[in-house]
DNA sequence: TTAAAAAGTTAGATACATCAAACTTTTTGC
DNA sequence: GCAAAAAGTTTGATGTATCTAACTTTTTAA
């Protein structure tokens, strides 16, 4: 396999666009891409030729456009960066959707993996640590709105002192029970305790930096409850129940 | 005055480099710039010609290189973006210097002002709100190192429950006394309460988005204690004591 | 003072991203 | 089935960033 060549920001955007259009429609057409990226049709043709040369898209003149396996992987990686940044902007910095969307699509091309990883950990930590959470972010919102930071914090603290004790207790209690990922409900979050066996999933997960200690969130079910959809380290995954049964989790909520 | 034209990332880097070299030496020479930016000498010549055309650098063949007033302003703005990002990476995300340096110099060119502003507020909030602070970040560090998030948080909380009450009290107390900025010590931080009068400083500060409510940090003194050096909203400023006496502050620590 | 070294510039090339205008192929609707 | 519309491509242009190699100016130091 060819070494993972550096792609320009533009080419990354083309891949990302193709991924999203493919998910929405059956096939991506040049015009859809042009529209989405606000570029001229002819620019799309050039881009496709280049990406095709690099083995990232399947393309022949006048034909429909699909991503190769490699191209899909790259595109998904870009989408992950995009989503992670946007999440941080929206959930933590309390930036509005539109602005967050625009900004993340610019920054996704230059953020390093290490920082991306930390950002994921940070958002997890803020959301899960009882000392952070919604009340704390409410304090931040007030601070942003020019409110007295003392008041924002104080409020947050008085709200918090009792609350925190309760949260901490609940948190401690929840630690006792381990559950199989398979059994968790949509919206639930928890920490991976163990991944049994050495099969496919194990490889797939560790390739993404997922291991015991990682925070996992159940996003939903699919295919007549045959599969569980999860998010971990910014990746959206779909696992067979069979595989999800091999993962034990300590749930948080 | 010409409308603030969009500069390419490269040109921004050239400006930033010239600013830093000028601060270190008397004058910037093409070779220093080339070395710093790891580009060929001839690339520097082209860049300088372009920046000179735009009125951002003073340049003539074989002559020394300086920033124009306009160029300096732009360069300082870029340095501010750079520093703000780096601060966030180092102080909050706990990224090492080298990586943070590299990353911020890439991202500085694409981050929006709105997000930059929020990032500044966020770092302020984390550092000042008693519910955040060092203990909380220690919890985050442990989480990053793969430690149990429960343990990280729990630790942080038990450390915190008592501590927090004290901090909250101290915080509340500190609220009473207002102090003149002029009188604050290096390292002290506080919230601006009022900026008296309508002179120069008032204009300068409000142009940077500084107003009552903004968090200010005293960085030091200069010119035989004649001036006070502060940091506010990511800007490094030097004020005459005379002017600093017009600003009342509620100190935090 | 002057020749060699260092610094800086110019010329010419490659690569990328984009566009408008002219052209070709495919699709659509009668 | 076929003409018009829509979609896609080619051509040729501009603008940016960079390089190497050849050349010029300035600095240094013998
Ligand atoms: Mn993008
Ligand atoms: Mn994107
Ligand atoms: Mn930079
Ligand atoms: Mn920089």
């Amino acid at each position: 396999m060819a070494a993972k060549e550096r792609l320009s920001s533009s080419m990354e955007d083309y891949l990302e666009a193709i991924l999203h259009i493919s998910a929405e429609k059956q096939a991506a057409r040049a015009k859809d891409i042009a529209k989405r990226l606000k570029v001229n049709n002819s620019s799309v043709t050039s881009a496709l030729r280049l990406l095709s040369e690099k083995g990232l898209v399947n393309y022949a003149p006048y034909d429909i456009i699909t991503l190769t396996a490699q191209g899909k992987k790259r595109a998904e990686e870009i989408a992950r960066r995009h989503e992670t940044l946007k999440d941080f902007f929206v959930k933590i910095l309390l930036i509005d959707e539109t602005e967050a969307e625009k900004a993340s699509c610019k920054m996704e091309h230059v953020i390093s993996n290490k920082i991306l990883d930390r950002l994921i950990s940070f958002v997890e930590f803020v959301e899960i640590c009882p000392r952070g959470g919604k009340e704390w972010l409410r304090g931040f919102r007030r601070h942003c709105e020019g409110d007295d930071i003392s008041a924002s914090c104080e409020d947050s603290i008085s709200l918090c002192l009792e609350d925190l004790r309760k949260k901490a207790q609940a948190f401690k209690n929840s630690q006792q029970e381990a559950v199989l990922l398979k059994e968790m409900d949509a919206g639930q979050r928890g920490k991976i305790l163990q991944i049994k066996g050495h099969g496919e999933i194990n490889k797939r997960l560790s390739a993404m930096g997922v291991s015991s200690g990682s925070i996992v969130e159940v996003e939903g079910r699919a295919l007549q409850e045959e599969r569980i959809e999860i998010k971990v380290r910014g990746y959206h995954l779909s696992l067979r129940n069979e595989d999800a049964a091999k993962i034990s989790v300590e749930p948080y909520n």
Side-chain angles (χ1 to χ4, degrees), chain A residues 149-187:
Chain A
I149 198 174
S150 325
S152 318
C153 290
E154 217 186 288
D155 188 41
S156 168
I157 287 164
S158 50
L159 229 162
C160 155
L161 272 172
E162 259 321 289
D163 192 44
L164 215 53
R165 203 193 310 275
K166 274 189 229 147
K167 257 175 137 181
Q169 199 52 50
F171 205 69
K172 213 167 175 178
N173 290 340
S174 77
Q175 221 182 326
Q176 317 302 350
E177 12 144 358
V179 154
L180 297 183
L181 176 57
K182 177 188 189 304
E183 257 118 47
M184 286 175 74
D185 293 324

Side-chain angles (χ1 to χ4, degrees), chain A residues 200-220:
Chain A
E200 263 297 301
I201 357 130
N202 216 304
K203 270 187 224 150
R204 232 172 107 201
L205 292 177
S206 64
M208 299 183 300
V210 174
S211 62
S212 57
S214 297
I215 309 285
V216 65
E217 185 180 345
V218 178
E219 298 206 293

Side-chain angles (χ1 to χ4, degrees), chain A residues 46-228:
Chain A
S46 320
L48 289 174
R49 208 153 29 203
L50 204 148
L51 290 170
S52 161
E53 257 167 42
K54 291 193 194 288
L56 300 171
V57 304
N58 299 118
Y59 165 74
Y62 299 105
D63 210 348
I64 59 163
I65 299 142
T66 54
L67 293 168
T68 64
Q70 235 197 106
K72 191 163 182 229
K73 212 168 155 193
R74 293 295 286 267
E76 276 166 350
E77 195 55 34
I78 298 150
R80 184 172 82 103
R81 298 203 299 255
H82 182 119
E83 202 187 327
T84 300
L85 280 163
K86 189 175 168 189
D87 251 39
F88 171 67
F89 296 151
V90 170
K91 289 195 196 160
I92 310 292
L93 297 189
L94 312 172
I95 299 282
D96 65 279
E97 271 282 316
T98 324
E99 170 86 12
E101 181 61 34
K102 245 186 3 193
S104 47
C105 211
K106 279 190 189 162
M107 298 179 73
E108 70 193 359
H109 310 288
V110 290
I111 193 169
S112 76
N113 281 333
K114 203 170 187 174
I115 290 181
L116 191 81
D117 255 43
R118 275 293 161 83
L119 213 50
I120 292 171
S121 296
F122 186 69
V123 175
E124 277 170 13
F125 186 75
V126 168
E127 289 185 335
I128 288 170
C129 175
R131 199 164 156 172
K134 282 202 186 100
E135 302 85 7
W136 185 69
L137 284 171
R138 188 156 55 235
F140 176 54
R141 169 170 288 125
R142 294 187 54 184
H143 172 51
C144 288
E145 284 165 356
D147 257 37
D148 201 286
I149 198 174
S150 325
S152 318
C153 290
E154 217 186 288
D155 188 41
S156 168
I157 287 164
S158 50
L159 229 162
C160 155
L161 272 172
E162 259 321 289
D163 192 44
L164 215 53
R165 203 193 310 275
K166 274 189 229 147
K167 257 175 137 181
Q169 199 52 50
F171 205 69
K172 213 167 175 178
N173 290 340
S174 77
Q175 221 182 326
Q176 317 302 350
E177 12 144 358
V179 154
L180 297 183
L181 176 57
K182 177 188 189 304
E183 257 118 47
M184 286 175 74
D185 293 324
Q188 254 195 312
R189 231 179 338 208
K191 187 187 68 180
I192 293 181
L193 294 175
Q194 210 198 345
I195 306 170
K196 283 157 206 149
H198 291 280
E200 263 297 301
I201 357 130
N202 216 304
K203 270 187 224 150
R204 232 172 107 201
L205 292 177
S206 64
M208 299 183 300
V210 174
S211 62
S212 57
S214 297
I215 309 285
V216 65
E217 185 180 345
V218 178
E219 298 206 293
R221 304 274 163 177
L223 291 173
Q224 285 85 31
E225 311 277 307
E226 269 287 300
R227 294 184 145 260
I228 184 169

